[in-house]
Amino acid sequence: MEVSEFTSLNYYHRDLSWLLFNRRVIHEANDPSNPLLEQLRFLAIASNNLDEFFMVRVPSIQSLARLQPKAKDARTGWTQEEVLFKLYEINLNNTRLQYQYFNQIIEDLAQHQQFVKSVDELSETQLQEVDRFFYELLLPAVTPIGLDAYHAFPKLAEKKVHIFVQVRQENRIERAVIPLPLLFSRLHQLADEQTYLLVEELITKHLPELFVGWEIDHSFCFRITYDKDLEFREDTDEKLFTQMEEYIVERSKGLPSRLEISGTWSKEIEESVLILADLLQLKARDLYWVPGPLDLTFLFPFVDTLAKEFPGLVFPRFTGNTYKEKGPQLFQAIEKNDLLFHHPYDSFEVVLNFLEAAAEDPNTIAIKQTLYRMAPHSRVVKALKKAAAKGKQVTVLVELKARFDEENNLHWVQELEEAGCYVSYGLHQLKTHSKALLVVKKEGRQVKQYAHFGTGNYNEKTSAIYTDISLFTAKKEYVEDITAFFNYLSGYREVPYYQKIAVSPNGIQHKLLEKIEDTMTHYQQTKQGAICFKMNSLTDKVVINKLYEASQVGVPIHLIVRGACCLKPGIPHLSEAIEVTSIVGRFLEHSRIYAFYTSEEDAEVWISSADIMTRNMLHRIEIATPVEKGPALDKLLTVLDAFKKDRKKAYLLTESGHFRRFTEDNSFSSQDYFMTNSQPQSEMILPFQTLDNPNLLSKIRKIWQSH
């Protein structure tokens, strides 16, 4: 067995595993199959990912390290301080790799006559130009803030770049910070429209003009991340809407969790960095020396700007297939057969059309929907408001506790309530993460119901870049289940008995355990059967242990996990039959699919809003939905088969905890395949043979036996 830096037992640490996901995102910046500007975008995505990690995950570990210094992590046996140290080492390696790629891409951009330069690289004419820009625009907006007994230590803006300056006047030493002006772009474009300069470099050049009469000892750029995941404690005696408003204000008081310093360590600035860290109450393992400009999210607008001039340096525009049936014809098609769509390859327009058509239809009497994250100018909300204005009963369950979308959702709640919608917030202490929509129509004396179940949010913006599954059905058991689900969440009733769907807390975990057990029993009796799961994260220890049991009896298991994975494959006599892969590409893999095969041709497949995480299994309202036999299931199995065949954008998880690229000569990319084969629904049902791929069982066995 390989010695692993990520675990000391039979499980990987969730957060260390997640850091390796972010490393896979960084590696996309070094993939020549990605256009040059898209490589830059992946670096910005990795920075944005890491910010949220230090706002949400790391603070909880730091808090445990302070409160319970000797307590050990249940999965790895490490103390929290040991976890933080390992996290620091891994993230430091990620950062070095990220900036190595950044510097290379900036060099490559010069071949297209686009230059990101330092002040020292500017011509005399360019220096005169940026000097004018500084004196006319920047200087009035820049304010140094002294750090001494006469100046309160400022609340430094989160995730914003600041300049630390130490100045000297004879034997007197003082220190100050300069926040970068927020309304200026980080990258200033010069008049030649080919050259860009970081604003912090321009301000640093002019520090003598800001500290007249003082000698500049040294300066450096820094940036702080704060804890933004403060515990929210619901009070049943106070309106939840009001509590969330108060929570948003309170969250701004979180403690610092990370200090980033631009540049390499030097003795000259070490004392200043330590003074700053002490003021922020941070330890050495919370300090990151970044070999380049801080906060690479400034690359997002930079890429968007250059993409207009260099369209060949970004991904070609992709528009998914638009389902041909609309309005009444769409509902008729759902009555005839379940419909399954794979977004964004199948346009999310079909979901929007379903809702908008229901809002317009005079036969619609009720619409019920869950909402978690919505687009800034949400067509979903617009359709719901229109339906209410037309006299339909509209019930909306809005999750106010959706992390970092709380303010946005508070805004939408007000709009929905003012439009006449009935708004509910779900159940006490449980986030509602389900993706469900029910339309009720009355045609003559007949009432018809149509349900939509999804793996992703009702958000037309993210639906263009996240891969998700949509299922439409009018089948009796499904619409009765979803009716009971909404009545349970919006009113007062006992937990329903569901005929088809599974609902957490508890229900989805129980269903997965039951289906794994059934597959094990069938395999022991017939030597046929397999399991294939696709999800964002796999961290729930109960389900992991059950998968270990299934592996021990020989069930071939293929797990496709985009992010954190605590399961450890390849352990003798425990997980030898388990293969774990991870796909990172142009689109964010977001769909959750759970398949249980009893033979090469027969499988029971569920889609879900839930990842296999303890929080989703036990502390959230989630839905898992089985897809019944027919064209919808055939399509879903083809989709899953393509994911398993991916060797171009997939990584294999090794026993050591590292993910490595496949080395076989196979250029198949599932995402490329789906884009190329985006076709109308009736033509998209493809047999497994289309992928030129061996059947599931023999394929998994072949891979497993070759290890």
Side-chain angles (χ1 to χ4, degrees), residues 12-19 57 539 564-566 613 615:
Y12 299 122
H13 189 279
R14 167 184 170 175
D15 297 302
L16 303 186
S17 177
W18 182 91
L19 282 174
R57 293 300 308 167
T539 65
C565 177
C566 294
M613 305 176 72
R615 71 177 190 193

Side-chain angles (χ1 to χ4, degrees), residues 109-128:
L109 272 178
Q111 299 174 17
H112 300 274
Q113 301 305 302
Q114 298 296 309
F115 307 96
V116 178
K117 293 186 175 181
S118 65
V119 169
D120 296 338
E121 296 173 308
L122 298 180
S123 68
E124 190 61 37
T125 302
Q126 290 173 327
L127 281 172
Q128 292 173 5

Side-chain angles (χ1 to χ4, degrees), residues 625-681:
T625 310
V627 180
E628 293 197 335
K629 289 184 178 180
L633 180 58
D634 293 341
K635 177 175 178 175
L636 186 56
L637 287 170
T638 299
V639 167
L640 198 55
D641 199 55
F643 285 131
K644 295 195 296 288
K645 187 176 183 288
D646 197 311
R647 290 295 181 267
K648 184 175 182 180
K649 288 295 186 178
Y651 293 77
L652 178 70
L653 177 59
T654 67
E655 184 189 339
S656 67
H658 292 279
F659 284 83
R660 64 168 176 80
R661 289 278 197 183
F662 285 92
T663 56
E664 60 196 72
D665 184 18
N666 188 323
S667 60
F668 182 84
S669 161
S670 56
Q671 294 193 358
D672 288 348
Y673 168 78
F674 294 134
M675 284 191 286
T676 303
N677 289 275
S678 179
Q679 298 178 29
Q681 173 88 5

